[in-house]
């Protein structure tokens, strides 16, 4: 037990142990229904990944929910760093220059191994994972969104909408006829203006929702 703890909180595993603890807490929160696996997936109005999704795609990942891939990366990197740390502690004196040098080598190996494992695992189970679908501008017309970042009016507005692929995105919106929609209100997207490069929205009346009643 002492060897495990000293390795987990020693270099290089100590750089990954906090991230692993955060991942464990996150999945506990998901298990009790207070969060979902797609909370970090994001895309622009054309369905192109942004944020963490874009970063993972640049390194050859991004084919699964971001939270799943990050967890796999952290867990596998932590495991490799733990194994390497144990071997290093048996071969060197803790805190010595050689121990630090070997620890740095272990860290590099852990990162490479984590990427290889995660990439291979995602490819292996991709058929069982929900496919991430983008939403074109045309596909968003007719859907509802929630006004964010202040009120929406003819000259300014942003709204949040969930795409067909399950990603939550922020889109530029505008109203017409002097209508003002306060932050937090639900709006209906009825058109897209190429000139403004924004979606045109109006107040959403729940009575018009065919799913009601």
């Amino acid at each position: 037990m002492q060897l495990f703890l000293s390795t987990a909180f020693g270099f290089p595993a100590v750089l990954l142990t906090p991230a692993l603890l955060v991942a464990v807490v996150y999945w506990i929160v998901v298990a009790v229904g207070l969060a979902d696996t797609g909370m970090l997936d994001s895309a622009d109005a054309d369905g192109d990944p942004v944020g963490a999704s874009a970063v993972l795609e640049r390194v050859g990942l991004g084919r699964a929910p971001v939270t799943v891939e990050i967890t796999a990366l952290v867990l596998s990197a932590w495991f490799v760093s733990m194994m390497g740390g144990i071997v290093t502690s048996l071969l060197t004196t803790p805190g010595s220059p050689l121990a630090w040098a070997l620890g740095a080598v272990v860290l590099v190996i852990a990162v490479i191994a984590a990427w290889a494992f995660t990439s291979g695992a995602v490819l292996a189970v991709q058929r069982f994972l929900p496919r991430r679908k983008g939403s074109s501008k045309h596909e968003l017309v007719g859907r509802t969104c929630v006004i964010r970042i202040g009120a929406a009016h003819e000259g300014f507005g942003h709204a949040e909408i969930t795409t067909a692929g399950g990603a939550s995105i922020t889109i530029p919106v505008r109203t017409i006829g002097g209508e003002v929609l306060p932050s937090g209100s639900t709006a209906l997207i009825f058109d897209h203006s190429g000139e403004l490069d924004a979606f045109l929205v109006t107040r959403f009346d729940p009575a018009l929702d065919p799913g009601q009643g």
Side-chain angles (χ1 to χ4, degrees):
M1 186 64 178
Q2 183 178 357
L3 178 60
F4 175 84
L5 291 176
S6 62
T7 304
F9 293 97
F11 183 75
V14 68
L15 300 178
L16 299 167
T17 297
L20 180 64
L21 295 177
V22 170
V24 170
V25 172
Y26 164 74
W27 286 107
I28 291 176
V29 173
V30 170
V32 299
L34 298 179
D36 62 82
T37 58
M39 63 181 298
L40 294 182
D41 294 303
S42 55
D44 59 21
D46 294 320
D48 297 321
V50 296
S53 299
V55 173
L56 288 175
E57 188 170 90
R58 290 192 189 100
V59 296
L61 298 173
R63 294 179 294 272
V66 171
T67 52
V68 173
E69 292 189 338
I70 290 179
T71 300
L73 285 168
V74 171
L75 180 60
S76 52
W78 180 83
F79 178 80
V80 173
S81 67
M82 282 290 292
M83 295 301 99
I86 291 175
V87 173
T88 298
S89 66
L90 296 176
L91 297 177
T92 64
T93 301
S96 66
L98 179 58
W100 282 98
L102 290 179
V105 173
V106 168
L107 181 60
V108 173
I109 293 174
V111 171
I112 295 174
W115 175 86
F117 169 79
T118 303
S119 180
V122 169
L123 285 175
V125 302
Q126 191 172 11
R127 68 182 65 180
F128 305 109
L129 295 173
R131 294 186 179 274
R132 300 170 65 180
K133 301 176 181 178
S135 293
S136 69
K137 292 180 174 65
H138 178 73
E139 290 174 333
L140 296 182
V141 174
R143 300 185 57 191
T144 59
C145 58
V146 179
I147 304 301
R148 303 294 190 197
I149 318 177
H153 48 76
E154 291 185 61
F156 175 83
H158 289 87
E160 183 179 275
I161 187 172
T162 301
T163 68
S168 182
I169 64 174
T170 299
I171 58 175
V173 297
R174 299 291 186 272
T175 64
I176 60 174
E179 185 177 22
V180 177
L181 303 177
S183 178
S185 61
T186 301
L188 175 68
I189 302 172
F190 65 87
D191 199 1
H192 179 268
S193 171
E195 180 181 351
L196 299 174
D197 194 21
F199 293 90
L200 301 181
V201 297
T202 187
R203 189 178 306 279
F204 175 69
D205 185 354
L208 300 178
D209 186 354
Q212 297 291 328

